[in-house]
Amino acid sequence: MASQRAFSPAAVRHPCLRSLPRGPVPAPALAPSRGGPPDRSPSPAPAASADAALVLVEEDQRHYREVNDRSASRAGLDSPCPADFYELLGIDLDADNDAIRSAYRSLQRIAHPDVAGDAATGLSILLNHAYKTLTNEGARAAYDAAVRAFRERVGSFTGMPVSAWLGPPGEQRALFVDETTCIGCRNCTCTAPNTFFMEDDYGRARVSHQWGDDEEVLREAMDMCPVNCIHFVRRKQLALLEFVMKGCKREDIAIVARRRSGNMGIAPASNDPFTRAEVFLRRRERAKSAEEMTGEDPGRARSEQDEELSATIASAWLAVDPELRAKGWPSWEQAAAEAKT
Ligand code: SF4
């Protein structure tokens, strides 16, 4: 069980002296559900508030990084939200016109400004555009291609971490590997095999189970990382960091090494997961209005799906009274509530 023990350098053992890794335990797979957040078996829900004080001992501070979430704490912008027209209407990609019409009508009954007030204007406009786009055969074909590419590249932010939680309920620290700077040396997977594994796509380390090993072992793994890319982060920021990490470009390990030796300049800040997380929050905070995003012509169908539209949908959805959201989008509202606990 994790404790706040200070790490003793004398405890360092060579990774090869440790028992063989048990091998990666895959994180729960994402499976899309009908128009709601992807159905992921979540880690056990923490009993403590996500806002509980974070206690860092001196050893933690060397490895600690955080996302500047001042804007998120004001407006709940780090909540899971629908990200595209299908999720907004709560339907599958293969929904027929009857299903689209039925979903649109029932949601407009909830979100129309005459019922829900001025705050729902943006959401009502987006519902109109979703309906116009998805019931227009040509526009839908173009939009579907864009949505599939967007989901593959970015996807929806569900608010649930990818790694499983094995730590104590009140623990506010989590572990995060910045895979953009990891050089795949395997020190961490040898040292703490119940916490880290090597993912296959890029050959970088990743956390499969938070606190899968004792704290002393985890500190040892962090101290043995030659590029200091294993961080303690706030547990409440973990889901966001793991989400944006999916979109970060992994440079060839030889290039990462050359950058470290000063031969290739520094990596673009836009590829740093902490910077990307802050951009994600700022984008939601400063999302374009529904009119700006969809154009003035209410009959114009939209064929693009990108981060700006995703942020606009999120912003418009969050502007609506939570009771109405729970009525029209129960699975997303439930996901938002779970992410807060
Ligand atoms: S020790 Fe660091 S560089 Fe090596 S695989 Fe683990 S995270 Fe990557």
Side-chain angles (χ1 to χ4, degrees), residues 24-25 27 162-163 175-179 182 188-189 192-210 229-230 242 245-248 250:
V25 185
V162 175
S163 51
L175 287 118
F176 174 72
V177 177
D178 177 355
E179 294 173 34
C182 168
C188 58
T189 55
N194 299 313
T195 299
F196 301 97
F197 76 106
M198 300 302 295
E199 53 78 30
D200 292 334
D201 290 341
Y202 306 102
R204 313 295 166 97
R206 188 174 291 170
V207 174
S208 62
H209 289 77
Q210 296 287 336
C229 66
I230 307 173
E242 289 182 338
M245 191 69 242
K246 289 187 281 182
C248 290
R250 273 62 153 198

PDB file of all heavy atoms in Angstrom, residues 24-25 27 162-163 175-179 182 188-189 192-210 229-230 242 245-248 250:
ATOM      1  N   PRO A  24       2.588  -6.892 -19.472  1.00  0.00           N
ATOM      2  CA  PRO A  24       1.594  -5.831 -19.406  1.00  0.00           C
ATOM      3  C   PRO A  24       0.186  -6.365 -19.172  1.00  0.00           C
ATOM      4  O   PRO A  24      -0.170  -7.404 -19.712  1.00  0.00           O
ATOM      5  CB  PRO A  24       1.690  -5.168 -20.783  1.00  0.00           C
ATOM      6  CG  PRO A  24       2.284  -6.213 -21.663  1.00  0.00           C
ATOM      7  CD  PRO A  24       3.157  -7.048 -20.795  1.00  0.00           C
ATOM      8  N   VAL A  25      -0.536  -5.675 -18.349  1.00  0.00           N
ATOM      9  CA  VAL A  25      -1.952  -5.984 -18.192  1.00  0.00           C
ATOM     10  C   VAL A  25      -2.689  -4.906 -18.947  1.00  0.00           C
ATOM     11  O   VAL A  25      -2.608  -3.744 -18.605  1.00  0.00           O
ATOM     12  CB  VAL A  25      -2.369  -5.944 -16.712  1.00  0.00           C
ATOM     13  CG1 VAL A  25      -3.809  -6.393 -16.563  1.00  0.00           C
ATOM     14  CG2 VAL A  25      -1.429  -6.813 -15.895  1.00  0.00           C
ATOM     15  N   ALA A  27      -4.877  -2.067 -20.460  1.00  0.00           N
ATOM     16  CA  ALA A  27      -5.886  -1.188 -19.881  1.00  0.00           C
ATOM     17  C   ALA A  27      -7.239  -1.546 -20.465  1.00  0.00           C
ATOM     18  O   ALA A  27      -7.319  -2.091 -21.562  1.00  0.00           O
ATOM     19  CB  ALA A  27      -5.541   0.254 -20.207  1.00  0.00           C
ATOM     20  N   VAL A 162      -7.293   6.020 -18.403  1.00  0.00           N
ATOM     21  CA  VAL A 162      -7.058   4.779 -19.132  1.00  0.00           C
ATOM     22  C   VAL A 162      -6.444   3.732 -18.190  1.00  0.00           C
ATOM     23  O   VAL A 162      -6.777   2.557 -18.230  1.00  0.00           O
ATOM     24  CB  VAL A 162      -6.123   5.028 -20.331  1.00  0.00           C
ATOM     25  CG1 VAL A 162      -5.780   3.724 -21.030  1.00  0.00           C
ATOM     26  CG2 VAL A 162      -6.784   5.990 -21.315  1.00  0.00           C
ATOM     27  N   SER A 163      -5.535   4.172 -17.325  1.00  0.00           N
ATOM     28  CA  SER A 163      -4.884   3.234 -16.400  1.00  0.00           C
ATOM     29  C   SER A 163      -5.840   2.868 -15.270  1.00  0.00           C
ATOM     30  O   SER A 163      -6.695   3.660 -14.874  1.00  0.00           O
ATOM     31  CB  SER A 163      -3.612   3.867 -15.830  1.00  0.00           C
ATOM     32  OG  SER A 163      -3.874   5.155 -15.312  1.00  0.00           O
ATOM     33  N   LEU A 175       0.603   8.432 -11.383  1.00  0.00           N
ATOM     34  CA  LEU A 175       1.840   8.406 -12.185  1.00  0.00           C
ATOM     35  C   LEU A 175       1.505   8.557 -13.654  1.00  0.00           C
ATOM     36  O   LEU A 175       0.518   7.993 -14.139  1.00  0.00           O
ATOM     37  CB  LEU A 175       2.578   7.085 -11.957  1.00  0.00           C
ATOM     38  CG  LEU A 175       3.246   7.013 -10.592  1.00  0.00           C
ATOM     39  CD1 LEU A 175       2.652   5.891  -9.792  1.00  0.00           C
ATOM     40  CD2 LEU A 175       4.734   6.845 -10.731  1.00  0.00           C
ATOM     41  N   PHE A 176       2.355   9.303 -14.333  1.00  0.00           N
ATOM     42  CA  PHE A 176       2.120   9.569 -15.744  1.00  0.00           C
ATOM     43  C   PHE A 176       3.464   9.558 -16.471  1.00  0.00           C
ATOM     44  O   PHE A 176       4.422  10.198 -16.017  1.00  0.00           O
ATOM     45  CB  PHE A 176       1.436  10.930 -15.911  1.00  0.00           C
ATOM     46  CG  PHE A 176       1.288  11.371 -17.338  1.00  0.00           C
ATOM     47  CD1 PHE A 176       0.375  10.754 -18.181  1.00  0.00           C
ATOM     48  CD2 PHE A 176       2.064  12.406 -17.846  1.00  0.00           C
ATOM     49  CE1 PHE A 176       0.246  11.150 -19.508  1.00  0.00           C
ATOM     50  CE2 PHE A 176       1.935  12.821 -19.156  1.00  0.00           C
ATOM     51  CZ  PHE A 176       1.023  12.190 -19.995  1.00  0.00           C
ATOM     52  N   VAL A 177       3.531   8.824 -17.588  1.00  0.00           N
ATOM     53  CA  VAL A 177       4.753   8.807 -18.404  1.00  0.00           C
ATOM     54  C   VAL A 177       4.555   9.755 -19.587  1.00  0.00           C
ATOM     55  O   VAL A 177       3.596   9.602 -20.355  1.00  0.00           O
ATOM     56  CB  VAL A 177       5.061   7.390 -18.933  1.00  0.00           C
ATOM     57  CG1 VAL A 177       6.292   7.420 -19.841  1.00  0.00           C
ATOM     58  CG2 VAL A 177       5.285   6.417 -17.775  1.00  0.00           C
ATOM     59  N   ASP A 178       5.446  10.728 -19.709  1.00  0.00           N
ATOM     60  CA  ASP A 178       5.442  11.589 -20.896  1.00  0.00           C
ATOM     61  C   ASP A 178       6.104  10.790 -22.019  1.00  0.00           C
ATOM     62  O   ASP A 178       7.337  10.717 -22.106  1.00  0.00           O
ATOM     63  CB  ASP A 178       6.205  12.879 -20.606  1.00  0.00           C
ATOM     64  CG  ASP A 178       6.291  13.768 -21.834  1.00  0.00           C
ATOM     65  OD1 ASP A 178       5.845  13.351 -22.919  1.00  0.00           O
ATOM     66  OD2 ASP A 178       6.824  14.892 -21.714  1.00  0.00           O
ATOM     67  N   GLU A 179       5.278  10.185 -22.859  1.00  0.00           N
ATOM     68  CA  GLU A 179       5.799   9.282 -23.895  1.00  0.00           C
ATOM     69  C   GLU A 179       6.529  10.023 -25.004  1.00  0.00           C
ATOM     70  O   GLU A 179       7.194   9.406 -25.828  1.00  0.00           O
ATOM     71  CB  GLU A 179       4.656   8.430 -24.475  1.00  0.00           C
ATOM     72  CG  GLU A 179       4.075   7.472 -23.455  1.00  0.00           C
ATOM     73  CD  GLU A 179       2.844   6.740 -23.960  1.00  0.00           C
ATOM     74  OE1 GLU A 179       2.777   6.432 -25.163  1.00  0.00           O
ATOM     75  OE2 GLU A 179       1.936   6.494 -23.144  1.00  0.00           O
ATOM     76  N   CYS A 182      10.083   9.713 -23.498  1.00  0.00           N
ATOM     77  CA  CYS A 182      10.536   8.365 -23.128  1.00  0.00           C
ATOM     78  C   CYS A 182      11.413   7.810 -24.253  1.00  0.00           C
ATOM     79  O   CYS A 182      11.105   7.972 -25.428  1.00  0.00           O
ATOM     80  CB  CYS A 182       9.313   7.477 -22.914  1.00  0.00           C
ATOM     81  SG  CYS A 182       9.688   5.714 -22.776  1.00  0.00           S
ATOM     82  N   CYS A 188      11.996   1.206 -16.232  1.00  0.00           N
ATOM     83  CA  CYS A 188      10.824   1.279 -15.341  1.00  0.00           C
ATOM     84  C   CYS A 188      10.023  -0.021 -15.378  1.00  0.00           C
ATOM     85  O   CYS A 188       9.519  -0.469 -14.339  1.00  0.00           O
ATOM     86  CB  CYS A 188       9.946   2.471 -15.710  1.00  0.00           C
ATOM     87  SG  CYS A 188       9.348   2.445 -17.403  1.00  0.00           S
ATOM     88  N   THR A 189       9.919  -0.645 -16.541  1.00  0.00           N
ATOM     89  CA  THR A 189       9.129  -1.874 -16.608  1.00  0.00           C
ATOM     90  C   THR A 189       9.845  -3.028 -15.916  1.00  0.00           C
ATOM     91  O   THR A 189       9.217  -3.939 -15.402  1.00  0.00           O
ATOM     92  CB  THR A 189       8.811  -2.258 -18.071  1.00  0.00           C
ATOM     93  OG1 THR A 189      10.025  -2.353 -18.798  1.00  0.00           O
ATOM     94  CG2 THR A 189       7.912  -1.237 -18.719  1.00  0.00           C
ATOM     95  N   ALA A 192       9.427  -1.818 -11.920  1.00  0.00           N
ATOM     96  CA  ALA A 192       8.058  -1.822 -11.364  1.00  0.00           C
ATOM     97  C   ALA A 192       7.099  -2.429 -12.391  1.00  0.00           C
ATOM     98  O   ALA A 192       6.287  -1.721 -12.996  1.00  0.00           O
ATOM     99  CB  ALA A 192       7.654  -0.392 -11.010  1.00  0.00           C
ATOM    100  N   PRO A 193       7.196  -3.751 -12.601  1.00  0.00           N
ATOM    101  CA  PRO A 193       6.438  -4.376 -13.702  1.00  0.00           C
ATOM    102  C   PRO A 193       4.932  -4.426 -13.477  1.00  0.00           C
ATOM    103  O   PRO A 193       4.186  -4.679 -14.416  1.00  0.00           O
ATOM    104  CB  PRO A 193       7.023  -5.790 -13.756  1.00  0.00           C
ATOM    105  CG  PRO A 193       7.544  -6.047 -12.387  1.00  0.00           C
ATOM    106  CD  PRO A 193       8.040  -4.734 -11.888  1.00  0.00           C
ATOM    107  N   ASN A 194       4.499  -4.194 -12.230  1.00  0.00           N
ATOM    108  CA  ASN A 194       3.052  -4.227 -11.990  1.00  0.00           C
ATOM    109  C   ASN A 194       2.417  -2.859 -12.221  1.00  0.00           C
ATOM    110  O   ASN A 194       1.200  -2.709 -12.075  1.00  0.00           O
ATOM    111  CB  ASN A 194       2.776  -4.699 -10.565  1.00  0.00           C
ATOM    112  CG  ASN A 194       3.312  -6.096 -10.345  1.00  0.00           C
ATOM    113  OD1 ASN A 194       3.088  -6.982 -11.162  1.00  0.00           O
ATOM    114  ND2 ASN A 194       4.058  -6.282  -9.275  1.00  0.00           N
ATOM    115  N   THR A 195       3.250  -1.890 -12.535  1.00  0.00           N
ATOM    116  CA  THR A 195       2.747  -0.526 -12.772  1.00  0.00           C
ATOM    117  C   THR A 195       2.954  -0.106 -14.229  1.00  0.00           C
ATOM    118  O   THR A 195       2.064   0.482 -14.841  1.00  0.00           O
ATOM    119  CB  THR A 195       3.471   0.471 -11.835  1.00  0.00           C
ATOM    120  OG1 THR A 195       3.198   0.089 -10.491  1.00  0.00           O
ATOM    121  CG2 THR A 195       3.020   1.898 -12.073  1.00  0.00           C
ATOM    122  N   PHE A 196       4.131  -0.422 -14.772  1.00  0.00           N
ATOM    123  CA  PHE A 196       4.477   0.040 -16.126  1.00  0.00           C
ATOM    124  C   PHE A 196       4.494  -1.125 -17.105  1.00  0.00           C
ATOM    125  O   PHE A 196       4.764  -2.264 -16.728  1.00  0.00           O
ATOM    126  CB  PHE A 196       5.872   0.686 -16.124  1.00  0.00           C
ATOM    127  CG  PHE A 196       6.013   1.860 -15.206  1.00  0.00           C
ATOM    128  CD1 PHE A 196       6.551   1.699 -13.935  1.00  0.00           C
ATOM    129  CD2 PHE A 196       5.610   3.125 -15.603  1.00  0.00           C
ATOM    130  CE1 PHE A 196       6.689   2.781 -13.071  1.00  0.00           C
ATOM    131  CE2 PHE A 196       5.739   4.212 -14.746  1.00  0.00           C
ATOM    132  CZ  PHE A 196       6.275   4.032 -13.475  1.00  0.00           C
ATOM    133  N   PHE A 197       4.220  -0.819 -18.355  1.00  0.00           N
ATOM    134  CA  PHE A 197       4.417  -1.796 -19.421  1.00  0.00           C
ATOM    135  C   PHE A 197       4.879  -1.043 -20.672  1.00  0.00           C
ATOM    136  O   PHE A 197       4.774   0.185 -20.730  1.00  0.00           O
ATOM    137  CB  PHE A 197       3.137  -2.599 -19.705  1.00  0.00           C
ATOM    138  CG  PHE A 197       2.082  -1.843 -20.479  1.00  0.00           C
ATOM    139  CD1 PHE A 197       1.853  -2.127 -21.825  1.00  0.00           C
ATOM    140  CD2 PHE A 197       1.314  -0.865 -19.880  1.00  0.00           C
ATOM    141  CE1 PHE A 197       0.874  -1.441 -22.552  1.00  0.00           C
ATOM    142  CE2 PHE A 197       0.338  -0.176 -20.592  1.00  0.00           C
ATOM    143  CZ  PHE A 197       0.125  -0.463 -21.922  1.00  0.00           C
ATOM    144  N   MET A 198       5.426  -1.792 -21.623  1.00  0.00           N
ATOM    145  CA  MET A 198       5.851  -1.170 -22.878  1.00  0.00           C
ATOM    146  C   MET A 198       4.702  -1.314 -23.875  1.00  0.00           C
ATOM    147  O   MET A 198       4.276  -2.432 -24.181  1.00  0.00           O
ATOM    148  CB  MET A 198       7.095  -1.864 -23.444  1.00  0.00           C
ATOM    149  CG  MET A 198       8.319  -1.836 -22.530  1.00  0.00           C
ATOM    150  SD  MET A 198       8.866  -0.180 -22.058  1.00  0.00           S
ATOM    151  CE  MET A 198       9.373   0.494 -23.644  1.00  0.00           C
ATOM    152  N   GLU A 199       4.212  -0.182 -24.368  1.00  0.00           N
ATOM    153  CA  GLU A 199       3.135  -0.287 -25.351  1.00  0.00           C
ATOM    154  C   GLU A 199       3.746  -0.613 -26.717  1.00  0.00           C
ATOM    155  O   GLU A 199       4.906  -0.268 -26.984  1.00  0.00           O
ATOM    156  CB  GLU A 199       2.259   0.975 -25.362  1.00  0.00           C
ATOM    157  CG  GLU A 199       3.001   2.280 -25.543  1.00  0.00           C
ATOM    158  CD  GLU A 199       3.397   2.529 -26.963  1.00  0.00           C
ATOM    159  OE1 GLU A 199       2.658   2.059 -27.844  1.00  0.00           O
ATOM    160  OE2 GLU A 199       4.428   3.175 -27.208  1.00  0.00           O
ATOM    161  N   ASP A 200       2.957  -1.296 -27.545  1.00  0.00           N
ATOM    162  CA  ASP A 200       3.498  -1.865 -28.778  1.00  0.00           C
ATOM    163  C   ASP A 200       3.667  -0.848 -29.915  1.00  0.00           C
ATOM    164  O   ASP A 200       4.580  -0.966 -30.726  1.00  0.00           O
ATOM    165  CB  ASP A 200       2.578  -2.991 -29.286  1.00  0.00           C
ATOM    166  CG  ASP A 200       2.615  -4.183 -28.345  1.00  0.00           C
ATOM    167  OD1 ASP A 200       3.638  -4.342 -27.659  1.00  0.00           O
ATOM    168  OD2 ASP A 200       1.611  -4.924 -28.288  1.00  0.00           O
ATOM    169  N   ASP A 201       2.795   0.144 -29.999  1.00  0.00           N
ATOM    170  CA  ASP A 201       2.787   1.007 -31.182  1.00  0.00           C
ATOM    171  C   ASP A 201       4.062   1.844 -31.309  1.00  0.00           C
ATOM    172  O   ASP A 201       4.587   2.030 -32.397  1.00  0.00           O
ATOM    173  CB  ASP A 201       1.573   1.941 -31.156  1.00  0.00           C
ATOM    174  CG  ASP A 201       0.284   1.170 -31.374  1.00  0.00           C
ATOM    175  OD1 ASP A 201       0.375   0.037 -31.892  1.00  0.00           O
ATOM    176  OD2 ASP A 201      -0.788   1.679 -31.012  1.00  0.00           O
ATOM    177  N   TYR A 202       4.519   2.393 -30.189  1.00  0.00           N
ATOM    178  CA  TYR A 202       5.653   3.319 -30.247  1.00  0.00           C
ATOM    179  C   TYR A 202       6.865   2.811 -29.475  1.00  0.00           C
ATOM    180  O   TYR A 202       7.922   3.449 -29.487  1.00  0.00           O
ATOM    181  CB  TYR A 202       5.252   4.690 -29.674  1.00  0.00           C
ATOM    182  CG  TYR A 202       4.027   5.289 -30.314  1.00  0.00           C
ATOM    183  CD1 TYR A 202       2.791   5.243 -29.664  1.00  0.00           C
ATOM    184  CD2 TYR A 202       4.094   5.903 -31.558  1.00  0.00           C
ATOM    185  CE1 TYR A 202       1.661   5.784 -30.244  1.00  0.00           C
ATOM    186  CE2 TYR A 202       2.965   6.447 -32.143  1.00  0.00           C
ATOM    187  CZ  TYR A 202       1.752   6.386 -31.481  1.00  0.00           C
ATOM    188  OH  TYR A 202       0.634   6.925 -32.046  1.00  0.00           O
ATOM    189  N   GLY A 203       6.711   1.703 -28.729  1.00  0.00           N
ATOM    190  CA  GLY A 203       7.836   1.188 -27.940  1.00  0.00           C
ATOM    191  C   GLY A 203       8.181   2.089 -26.767  1.00  0.00           C
ATOM    192  O   GLY A 203       9.349   2.246 -26.422  1.00  0.00           O
ATOM    193  N   ARG A 204       7.146   2.706 -26.179  1.00  0.00           N
ATOM    194  CA  ARG A 204       7.376   3.590 -25.025  1.00  0.00           C
ATOM    195  C   ARG A 204       6.703   2.984 -23.795  1.00  0.00           C
ATOM    196  O   ARG A 204       5.775   2.177 -23.904  1.00  0.00           O
ATOM    197  CB  ARG A 204       6.788   4.991 -25.264  1.00  0.00           C
ATOM    198  CG  ARG A 204       7.130   5.600 -26.611  1.00  0.00           C
ATOM    199  CD  ARG A 204       8.615   5.858 -26.756  1.00  0.00           C
ATOM    200  NE  ARG A 204       8.970   6.116 -28.145  1.00  0.00           N
ATOM    201  CZ  ARG A 204       9.109   7.328 -28.677  1.00  0.00           C
ATOM    202  NH1 ARG A 204       8.926   8.383 -27.945  1.00  0.00           N
ATOM    203  NH2 ARG A 204       9.454   7.469 -29.940  1.00  0.00           N
ATOM    204  N   ALA A 205       7.167   3.421 -22.631  1.00  0.00           N
ATOM    205  CA  ALA A 205       6.566   2.930 -21.391  1.00  0.00           C
ATOM    206  C   ALA A 205       5.246   3.652 -21.132  1.00  0.00           C
ATOM    207  O   ALA A 205       5.054   4.800 -21.549  1.00  0.00           O
ATOM    208  CB  ALA A 205       7.518   3.157 -20.226  1.00  0.00           C
ATOM    209  N   ARG A 206       4.358   2.964 -20.433  1.00  0.00           N
ATOM    210  CA  ARG A 206       3.051   3.544 -20.086  1.00  0.00           C
ATOM    211  C   ARG A 206       2.615   2.937 -18.752  1.00  0.00           C
ATOM    212  O   ARG A 206       3.020   1.818 -18.422  1.00  0.00           O
ATOM    213  CB  ARG A 206       2.037   3.210 -21.180  1.00  0.00           C
ATOM    214  CG  ARG A 206       0.704   3.900 -21.037  1.00  0.00           C
ATOM    215  CD  ARG A 206      -0.176   3.611 -22.249  1.00  0.00           C
ATOM    216  NE  ARG A 206       0.314   4.243 -23.467  1.00  0.00           N
ATOM    217  CZ  ARG A 206      -0.162   3.982 -24.678  1.00  0.00           C
ATOM    218  NH1 ARG A 206      -1.132   3.091 -24.831  1.00  0.00           N
ATOM    219  NH2 ARG A 206       0.319   4.604 -25.748  1.00  0.00           N
ATOM    220  N   VAL A 207       1.795   3.638 -18.029  1.00  0.00           N
ATOM    221  CA  VAL A 207       1.274   3.098 -16.763  1.00  0.00           C
ATOM    222  C   VAL A 207       0.033   2.270 -17.072  1.00  0.00           C
ATOM    223  O   VAL A 207      -0.907   2.757 -17.697  1.00  0.00           O
ATOM    224  CB  VAL A 207       0.927   4.236 -15.774  1.00  0.00           C
ATOM    225  CG1 VAL A 207       0.264   3.671 -14.524  1.00  0.00           C
ATOM    226  CG2 VAL A 207       2.181   5.012 -15.402  1.00  0.00           C
ATOM    227  N   SER A 208       0.051   1.003 -16.655  1.00  0.00           N
ATOM    228  CA  SER A 208      -1.141   0.172 -16.817  1.00  0.00           C
ATOM    229  C   SER A 208      -1.979   0.205 -15.537  1.00  0.00           C
ATOM    230  O   SER A 208      -3.196   0.297 -15.588  1.00  0.00           O
ATOM    231  CB  SER A 208      -0.765  -1.273 -17.155  1.00  0.00           C
ATOM    232  OG  SER A 208      -0.007  -1.848 -16.106  1.00  0.00           O
ATOM    233  N   HIS A 209      -1.292   0.149 -14.387  1.00  0.00           N
ATOM    234  CA  HIS A 209      -1.986   0.119 -13.100  1.00  0.00           C
ATOM    235  C   HIS A 209      -1.339   1.135 -12.156  1.00  0.00           C
ATOM    236  O   HIS A 209      -0.153   1.001 -11.840  1.00  0.00           O
ATOM    237  CB  HIS A 209      -1.913  -1.283 -12.484  1.00  0.00           C
ATOM    238  CG  HIS A 209      -2.763  -2.270 -13.210  1.00  0.00           C
ATOM    239  ND1 HIS A 209      -2.392  -2.833 -14.409  1.00  0.00           N
ATOM    240  CD2 HIS A 209      -3.987  -2.771 -12.909  1.00  0.00           C
ATOM    241  CE1 HIS A 209      -3.352  -3.648 -14.825  1.00  0.00           C
ATOM    242  NE2 HIS A 209      -4.331  -3.629 -13.934  1.00  0.00           N
ATOM    243  N   GLN A 210      -2.125   2.124 -11.759  1.00  0.00           N
ATOM    244  CA  GLN A 210      -1.605   3.116 -10.834  1.00  0.00           C
ATOM    245  C   GLN A 210      -1.335   2.456  -9.484  1.00  0.00           C
ATOM    246  O   GLN A 210      -2.184   1.757  -8.946  1.00  0.00           O
ATOM    247  CB  GLN A 210      -2.637   4.241 -10.657  1.00  0.00           C
ATOM    248  CG  GLN A 210      -2.918   5.029 -11.921  1.00  0.00           C
ATOM    249  CD  GLN A 210      -1.765   5.958 -12.284  1.00  0.00           C
ATOM    250  OE1 GLN A 210      -0.977   6.361 -11.419  1.00  0.00           O
ATOM    251  NE2 GLN A 210      -1.676   6.301 -13.563  1.00  0.00           N
ATOM    252  N   CYS A 229      11.129  11.196 -17.370  1.00  0.00           N
ATOM    253  CA  CYS A 229       9.823  11.419 -18.015  1.00  0.00           C
ATOM    254  C   CYS A 229       8.677  10.732 -17.265  1.00  0.00           C
ATOM    255  O   CYS A 229       7.563  10.661 -17.768  1.00  0.00           O
ATOM    256  CB  CYS A 229       9.868  10.974 -19.469  1.00  0.00           C
ATOM    257  SG  CYS A 229      10.083   9.215 -19.702  1.00  0.00           S
ATOM    258  N   ILE A 230       8.955  10.208 -16.067  1.00  0.00           N
ATOM    259  CA  ILE A 230       7.870   9.655 -15.239  1.00  0.00           C
ATOM    260  C   ILE A 230       7.542  10.708 -14.183  1.00  0.00           C
ATOM    261  O   ILE A 230       8.423  11.156 -13.450  1.00  0.00           O
ATOM    262  CB  ILE A 230       8.297   8.343 -14.542  1.00  0.00           C
ATOM    263  CG1 ILE A 230       8.834   7.343 -15.559  1.00  0.00           C
ATOM    264  CG2 ILE A 230       7.127   7.762 -13.760  1.00  0.00           C
ATOM    265  CD1 ILE A 230       9.440   6.093 -14.927  1.00  0.00           C
ATOM    266  N   GLU A 242      -3.840  11.573 -19.882  1.00  0.00           N
ATOM    267  CA  GLU A 242      -3.825  10.332 -20.663  1.00  0.00           C
ATOM    268  C   GLU A 242      -4.594  10.510 -21.976  1.00  0.00           C
ATOM    269  O   GLU A 242      -4.249   9.913 -22.995  1.00  0.00           O
ATOM    270  CB  GLU A 242      -4.406   9.182 -19.832  1.00  0.00           C
ATOM    271  CG  GLU A 242      -3.487   8.754 -18.692  1.00  0.00           C
ATOM    272  CD  GLU A 242      -4.013   7.579 -17.882  1.00  0.00           C
ATOM    273  OE1 GLU A 242      -5.247   7.332 -17.908  1.00  0.00           O
ATOM    274  OE2 GLU A 242      -3.206   6.921 -17.214  1.00  0.00           O
ATOM    275  N   MET A 245      -2.396  12.640 -24.366  1.00  0.00           N
ATOM    276  CA  MET A 245      -1.196  11.876 -24.758  1.00  0.00           C
ATOM    277  C   MET A 245      -1.457  11.100 -26.040  1.00  0.00           C
ATOM    278  O   MET A 245      -0.566  10.912 -26.869  1.00  0.00           O
ATOM    279  CB  MET A 245      -0.823  10.930 -23.615  1.00  0.00           C
ATOM    280  CG  MET A 245       0.530  10.265 -23.745  1.00  0.00           C
ATOM    281  SD  MET A 245       1.892  11.421 -23.553  1.00  0.00           S
ATOM    282  CE  MET A 245       2.635  11.258 -25.146  1.00  0.00           C
ATOM    283  N   LYS A 246      -2.715  10.669 -26.227  1.00  0.00           N
ATOM    284  CA  LYS A 246      -3.054   9.893 -27.434  1.00  0.00           C
ATOM    285  C   LYS A 246      -2.783  10.698 -28.700  1.00  0.00           C
ATOM    286  O   LYS A 246      -2.487  10.137 -29.749  1.00  0.00           O
ATOM    287  CB  LYS A 246      -4.533   9.465 -27.402  1.00  0.00           C
ATOM    288  CG  LYS A 246      -4.816   8.400 -26.366  1.00  0.00           C
ATOM    289  CD  LYS A 246      -6.228   7.880 -26.478  1.00  0.00           C
ATOM    290  CE  LYS A 246      -7.238   8.796 -25.855  1.00  0.00           C
ATOM    291  NZ  LYS A 246      -8.608   8.320 -25.891  1.00  0.00           N
ATOM    292  N   GLY A 247      -2.920  12.032 -28.602  1.00  0.00           N
ATOM    293  CA  GLY A 247      -2.741  12.868 -29.791  1.00  0.00           C
ATOM    294  C   GLY A 247      -1.327  13.402 -29.960  1.00  0.00           C
ATOM    295  O   GLY A 247      -1.048  14.091 -30.944  1.00  0.00           O
ATOM    296  N   CYS A 248      -0.435  13.125 -29.006  1.00  0.00           N
ATOM    297  CA  CYS A 248       0.936  13.643 -29.109  1.00  0.00           C
ATOM    298  C   CYS A 248       1.746  12.808 -30.091  1.00  0.00           C
ATOM    299  O   CYS A 248       1.697  11.574 -30.062  1.00  0.00           O
ATOM    300  CB  CYS A 248       1.632  13.603 -27.745  1.00  0.00           C
ATOM    301  SG  CYS A 248       0.997  14.782 -26.568  1.00  0.00           S
ATOM    302  N   ARG A 250       4.841  10.901 -31.422  1.00  0.00           N
ATOM    303  CA  ARG A 250       6.046  10.288 -30.853  1.00  0.00           C
ATOM    304  C   ARG A 250       7.134  10.341 -31.921  1.00  0.00           C
ATOM    305  O   ARG A 250       6.999   9.694 -32.964  1.00  0.00           O
ATOM    306  CB  ARG A 250       5.808   8.822 -30.478  1.00  0.00           C
ATOM    307  CG  ARG A 250       5.247   8.587 -29.084  1.00  0.00           C
ATOM    308  CD  ARG A 250       3.900   9.214 -28.903  1.00  0.00           C
ATOM    309  NE  ARG A 250       3.085   8.517 -27.900  1.00  0.00           N
ATOM    310  CZ  ARG A 250       1.784   8.649 -27.811  1.00  0.00           C
ATOM    311  NH1 ARG A 250       1.134   9.451 -28.642  1.00  0.00           N
ATOM    312  NH2 ARG A 250       1.116   8.001 -26.887  1.00  0.00           N
TER     313      ARG A 250
END
